[in-house]
Amino acid sequence: MAGVRWGVFLASFYPEEFMMILRGAVAGLVLFGILLSGSAVRSAEVSTLLSSIRGVVSDGSGNQVAARSWRELVTQDATHLPAILAALDGAKPLPANWLCLAVDTIAERTVARGGSLPVKRLETFVLDTAHAPRGRRLAFEWLSRVDATAADRLIPKMLLDPGVEFRRDAVARLLLEGADLIAKDQKPAAVAVYRRALEGARDNDQVGTIVDKLKSLGEQVDLPRHFGFLMDWRVIGAFDNTGRKGFATEFPPERELNRKAEYEGKEGQVHWQDYTTKDPYGMVDLNQPLGKLKQTVAYAWTDFHSEAAQQVEFRLGCKNAWKVWLNGELLFGRDEYHRGMRLDQYRMKATLQPGANQILVKACQNEQTESWTVEWQFQLRVCDATGTAILSAGAPPKP
Amino acid sequence: MNTSFSTVLRVWGVAVTLFLFTGADWLRFRGPNGSGVSVDQGLPVGWSETENIAWKVDLPGRGVSSPIIIGDRVVLTCCTGFRQDRLHVICFHAKTGEKLWERQLWATGRTMTHPAICTATPTAASDGKRIFAYFSTNDLVCFDLEGNLLWLRGLLNEYPNASNSLGLASSPTVVGETLVVPIENDSQSVTVGLAADTGTTRWKLDRPKLANWASPVVLGDQPGQLPQVVLQSGSRLTVHEPASGRELGVYASGCASQPSSVVGDGVLYVPSGGLTALRFTPGSKEPDLLWQNNRLGASTATPLLYRGKVFTVNGSILKAGDMKTGKLLWQLRLKGSFSGSPIASDGRIYLFNESGLGQVIEIGEDRGRRLKGGELGEKILSSPSMAGGALYIRSDAHLWKISSTATGG
């Protein structure tokens, strides 16, 4: 009521000015209404375009339809960026790339013509961990281009973020902090910082640096536990891989897992033997229990105890031909020999059942005789999508 | 401006651009049909930080791919990230080095490579109106010249073992309306032909299960000849109809897996048994063997055909042979070792060694003469490109334009 009284008061003293303000306000309201309804229409259009793009399939058959939608999508203004980023939630990798490229295109063109990005909404999006890490990262990268303070404000709180790139950035900052504390001879504080960094670190280079620093400070790290390497196995071999035919041959362990069984191997009877790797990176070196053999196949079997049914990732490193089964179901196999190996070389999605889960690995050695073809080995770990270890229930920590 | 008028203007602009620059474009790995030869003249014979560097720009990440040049656009691929899973396609203005656009995608395939290379090792290709960028992760993306996405494929989805733990390096090539993409490796070895306009698969060939980093070339440079795609591998070389993938010819000998074949005057020069010259004639599935010389073998770099001679680089030795007879004519010891391939223009060969030393060799009948060249001071594993009177070369960190004038000739 006070506003109305003020209006009557002003109108009585300044009638022309009051009418101008009133007309402006009405025009503004009308314009706002038009914009609002236009934006609603645009949002509906954007939603349709996003659905079309999200439906693109890997064989390329939907490319033409998706391309038309994409061309239309990138004509939208930057206010639609959060909606496009949100469409990355649950999107498969291929349509996710279509969407990322749309975000880049709209944002780049907006910045190039002097326009503004919706920085507050981008930041809100970055901080909302319910969104897909990829979309959040893209939002962060565009936010950082127009807001130089964004990284300093946001990254230090992202050590345990679901996005591995955010974690990596946060760990990198802690590594600098730790090095600074060592330089100042503040060792207990440095240990604390490196321990904190290790909590977030998932990339091997950063973990390696942290482990080295902690060792130099008199601390030990249980690397198998940190990464979730499977250390305790039963192995059996060798079976025949002459002419590399063993990769496709179904030897008895692929049909049954019976720890007391004996089978005819390549050179006589073979049986399961226990093998525990001592390697901090969980390397199962088959040359140790079976000898440096060539043109051979071996199997390694372990039981993984899960407290509940859960989706996990199996991450394998192997430079020999290999196959992996979970509870009798083949997850994947690859017949490539001696082209290199690294941690997390292959990632396989898997579902653990409650209780015991049988994991079987087949590793094939070929006929090559060069010095770099001696290795007959693999490393396998179980983790979540960020690379955080998922341990077999009851797995004891190593000192 | 109404849509039809703006469309007319765009079409006219593209037409003018193509008319002006078609002869000078460098549209794929090693330029016109992978020859490494440019008709340009006036390239500098020496350069330094203060001399004949038209521009130098920072790159966001690593790459062994070469730039391609389409009119006034220089397009290059890079990769970033701890896992080299961020894949970049960047377009620069040829005259100024200004970045015109950059697009980024996430790898959908495997990212492991030998440490010396990276996921941005294959060189992009273009048909003058579209850009086809391919990565070792089996991700393949097509843009128009303005950076608008036309289509996208993640080929590991369909061929889940079509990868190489050392990395894929073969570059795609576009023949007519078909984009030929080799994905040859020890496991699921295939080469695919895709519709250039939509990215859909036209054909797929099962290829020998052998790692292969060589790139396809196209036979049919003679009047009246139809283009044929040549695919070499460690077990044989085959010739295919581009639109269907149908096999038209075969040379049943193993070829090198890194240096690619080259084509000149209707003859195919294959890194096999040293170097082998083959002629495929219509109606005959097997080629005529013209000559073979095991002294002209190439190590990593692709051979070069130029002015009646064939040049190969073996270790640090540049060898010149007679194109018609295969006779070794002369040799010249170069400095350093080479991953990138030589290119030629204006009577000279340009090579960059792995430590970034550019070497310019003037070609003579009886010998090669070393000219000034120039040091870039960074590791260079890529091959240079050449267009518009300028040389383009990239490291993991920079892209240089080398030309005799500040504006790049």
Side-chain angles (χ1 to χ4, degrees):
Chain A
M1 290 305 290
V4 173
R5 278 200 297 273
W6 266 105
V8 171
F9 175 77
L10 282 171
S12 61
F13 284 93
Y14 307 99
E16 287 184 15
E17 287 80 354
F18 180 79
M19 287 311 291
M20 280 176 67
I21 291 168
L22 193 64
R23 278 198 295 271
V26 170
L29 278 172
V30 170
L31 186 61
F32 181 71
I34 290 169
L35 287 174
L36 203 63
S37 62
S39 176
V41 171
R42 297 287 260 187
S43 295
E45 285 173 1
V46 167
S47 172
T48 306
L49 297 173
L50 292 173
S51 295
S52 163
I53 291 171
R54 278 175 57 105
V56 75
V57 289
S58 64
D59 68 0
S61 58
N63 279 349
Q64 281 177 294
V65 173
R68 278 196 294 273
S69 298
W70 192 93
R71 281 298 286 256
E72 179 62 24
L73 184 63
V74 299
T75 64
Q76 310 299 317
D77 62 53
T79 60
H80 292 283
L81 287 175
I84 303 172
L85 289 162
L88 282 157
D89 297 348
K92 290 182 177 172
L94 190 72
N97 270 333
W98 284 77
L99 296 168
C100 289
L101 289 163
V103 169
D104 273 351
T105 305
I106 294 170
E108 183 185 83
R109 289 174 182 172
T110 300
V111 172
R113 62 172 179 261
S116 302
L117 298 182
V119 287
K120 283 189 178 170
R121 293 171 63 208
L122 287 178
E123 183 160 334
T124 302
F125 193 92
V126 171
L127 294 172
D128 185 353
T129 55
H131 287 305
R134 194 166 287 188
R136 293 174 56 230
R137 183 68 190 187
L138 198 52
F140 169 76
E141 289 174 2
W142 277 106
L143 176 65
S144 299
R145 290 193 208 191
V146 295
D147 178 357
T149 68
D152 287 341
R153 283 189 290 106
L154 304 179
I155 291 296
K157 299 169 192 162
M158 301 175 107
L159 183 66
L160 303 179
D161 195 274
V164 289
E165 289 174 301
F166 288 128
R167 279 176 179 251
R168 184 174 176 81
D169 289 350
V171 170
R173 286 169 180 253
L174 289 176
L175 293 182
L176 291 176
E177 194 180 325
D180 189 47
L181 289 167
I182 288 179
K184 292 174 181 166
D185 205 26
Q186 296 178 17
K187 290 183 180 175
V191 168
V193 165
Y194 285 121
R195 284 281 176 201
R196 195 147 60 87
L198 187 62
E199 275 184 64
R202 296 294 175 265
D203 294 337
N204 189 31
D205 62 330
Q206 289 187 327
V207 172
T209 301
I210 294 166
V211 169
D212 289 347
K213 294 290 183 188
L214 285 171
K215 274 186 184 168
S216 73
L217 293 164
E219 297 281 314
Q220 295 300 312
V221 175
D222 184 350
L223 272 174
R225 194 172 185 84
H226 180 80
F227 280 113
F229 291 120
L230 304 182
M231 307 295 279
D232 300 312
W233 296 84
R234 302 177 197 100
V235 300
I236 190 168
F239 299 95
D240 190 16
N241 192 31
T242 303
R244 306 191 185 190
K245 291 178 180 168
F247 176 77
T249 303
E250 188 182 86
F251 294 108
E254 296 180 31
R255 294 191 290 271
E256 62 160 3
L257 285 177
N258 176 358
R259 63 184 305 171
K260 292 181 179 169
E262 284 201 2
Y263 308 109
E264 184 67 31
K266 185 180 182 183
E267 294 175 357
Q269 291 294 107
V270 295
H271 57 85
W272 291 102
Q273 52 184 302
D274 290 340
Y275 176 76
T276 296
T277 176
K278 306 287 186 213
D279 183 79
Y281 282 86
M283 196 68 70
V284 178
D285 180 0
L286 295 164
N287 286 327
Q288 286 185 12
L290 302 177
K292 289 184 179 178
L293 304 175
K294 283 288 174 180
Q295 305 195 78
T296 46
V297 172
Y299 293 88
W301 161 27
T302 191
D303 292 327
F304 188 99
H305 295 271
S306 178
E307 288 177 343
Q310 57 179 324
Q311 301 279 330
V312 298
E313 281 193 11
F314 282 19
R315 295 193 182 181
L316 178 84
C318 186
K319 65 180 298 202
N320 308 90
W322 58 270
K323 289 182 181 177
V324 173
W325 291 263
L326 172 63
N327 296 325
E329 181 191 347
L330 179 66
L331 295 182
F332 201 73
R334 177 164 174 79
D335 55 341
E336 181 187 62
Y337 293 88
H338 300 298
R339 295 299 189 187
M341 171 180 179
R342 79 169 185 199
L343 184 68
D344 296 349
Q345 187 174 357
Y346 304 102
R347 294 169 63 169
M348 293 160 272
K349 287 192 168 72
T351 304
L352 296 175
Q353 62 188 20
N357 292 266
Q358 292 179 322
I359 299 169
L360 180 68
V361 178
K362 178 180 191 175
C364 308
Q365 176 61 297
N366 72 351
E367 73 293 341
Q368 285 180 270
T369 54
E370 297 93 334
S371 59
W372 43 271
T373 65
V374 172
E375 290 95 344
W376 184 21
Q377 61 191 25
F378 68 89
Q379 60 181 175
L380 182 63
R381 70 188 188 109
V382 182
C383 59
D384 67 12
T386 65
T388 303
I390 295 173
L391 302 174
S392 184
K398 301 279 185 339
Chain B
M1 191 182 297
N2 65 43
T3 306
S4 58
F5 185 57
S6 66
T7 303
V8 168
L9 275 185
R10 277 203 304 273
V11 170
W12 172 251
V14 170
V16 169
T17 303
L18 287 174
F19 175 74
L20 289 175
F21 292 103
T22 296
D25 284 352
W26 194 268
L27 299 179
R28 51 156 292 178
F29 173 61
R30 302 194 72 240
N33 198 20
S35 66
V37 175
S38 168
V39 294
D40 288 351
Q41 296 197 327
L43 273 88
V45 297
W47 53 88
S48 68
E49 275 186 25
T50 56
E51 176 195 20
N52 291 332
I53 303 288
W55 48 257
K56 173 185 176 184
V57 293
D58 293 340
L59 297 176
R62 298 184 62 201
V64 185
S65 58
S66 302
I68 58 170
I69 299 100
I70 315 145
D72 58 2
R73 287 166 164 76
V74 181
V75 177
L76 187 64
T77 60
C78 298
C79 62
T80 55
F82 172 64
R83 294 164 192 79
Q84 15 182 46
D85 57 353
R86 304 293 294 271
L87 312 175
H88 304 244
V89 183
I90 313 170
C91 179
F92 300 96
H93 196 289
K95 274 204 181 303
T96 62
E98 176 197 1
K99 187 168 78 176
L100 298 176
W101 51 263
E102 179 176 0
R103 302 285 177 265
Q104 215 185 127
L105 54 152
W106 262 272
T108 65
R110 299 190 184 101
T111 60
M112 180 176 171
T113 65
H114 186 281
I117 65 171
C118 62
T119 52
T121 293
T123 294
S126 175
D127 58 4
K129 53 189 178 181
R130 293 172 289 222
I131 295 156
F132 309 95
Y134 183 58
F135 296 86
S136 175
T137 58
N138 309 79
D139 289 293
L140 178 60
V141 59
C142 176
F143 296 107
D144 69 13
L145 301 186
E146 303 302 325
N148 291 305
L149 177 63
L150 300 179
W151 53 262
L152 189 58
R153 294 289 300 273
L155 294 170
L156 203 76
N157 282 311
E158 286 132 278
Y159 313 112
N161 258 321
S163 66
N164 183 337
S165 295
L166 292 175
L168 297 166
S170 304
S171 300
T173 189
V174 59
V175 192
E177 282 299 309
T178 303
L179 182 71
V180 179
V181 186
I183 322 172
E184 304 196 2
N185 60 88
D186 292 337
S187 186
Q188 188 177 18
S189 193
V190 296
T191 288
V192 295
L194 307 180
D197 56 347
T198 64
T200 51
T201 305
R202 287 187 156 168
W203 49 263
K204 182 208 80 167
L205 300 174
D206 290 324
R207 298 285 298 161
K209 288 179 61 158
L210 290 167
N212 188 10
W213 297 272
S215 298
V217 289
V218 181
L219 264 176
D221 61 339
Q222 297 300 292
Q225 284 186 336
L226 291 172
Q228 300 167 359
V229 178
V230 179
L231 301 173
Q232 68 186 66
S233 83
S235 67
R236 66 182 192 270
L237 176 147
T238 49
V239 178
H240 301 267
E241 186 177 68
S244 67
R246 184 168 64 97
E247 188 175 292
L248 302 172
V250 61
Y251 176 61
S253 288
C255 309
S257 59
Q258 292 183 20
S260 305
S261 299
V262 282
V263 177
D265 299 334
V267 176
L268 185 63
Y269 296 83
V270 184
S272 171
L275 193 68
T276 299
L278 305 173
R279 187 189 297 279
F280 282 90
T281 50
S284 173
K285 196 158 187 187
E286 292 185 3
D288 297 326
L289 175 65
L290 304 183
W291 55 258
Q292 186 170 62
N293 188 346
N294 62 13
R295 296 182 69 195
L296 283 173
S299 41
T300 303
T302 292
L304 173 72
L305 305 175
Y306 193 55
R307 296 192 174 177
K309 296 183 178 59
V310 56
F311 298 91
T312 58
V313 179
N314 197 323
S316 59
I317 307 294
L318 175 68
K319 298 182 176 188
D322 186 298
M323 264 177 74
K324 286 203 165 65
T325 65
K327 181 186 172 192
L328 180 64
L329 299 174
W330 52 260
Q331 303 182 74
L332 180 69
R333 181 172 291 279
L334 303 170
K335 292 178 182 171
S337 53
F338 296 81
S339 284
S341 298
I343 61 174
S345 173
D346 206 6
R348 305 178 199 113
I349 295 177
Y350 292 79
L351 314 92
F352 286 82
N353 71 15
E354 291 179 355
S355 61
L357 176 65
Q359 296 168 66
V360 183
I361 310 300
E362 187 178 67
I363 301 165
E365 272 309 306
D366 306 323
R367 68 190 184 100
R369 188 167 71 93
R370 211 177 272 114
L371 303 178
K372 186 179 172 189
E375 179 66 68
L376 294 176
E378 293 179 30
K379 184 169 79 173
I380 289 187
L381 303 181
S382 64
S383 300
S385 305
M386 204 181 279
L391 197 65
Y392 298 86
I393 184 77
R394 68 92 51 88
S395 67
D396 279 341
H398 296 104
L399 170 66
W400 290 264
K401 177 180 180 179
I402 299 170
S403 68
S404 293
T405 66
T407 53

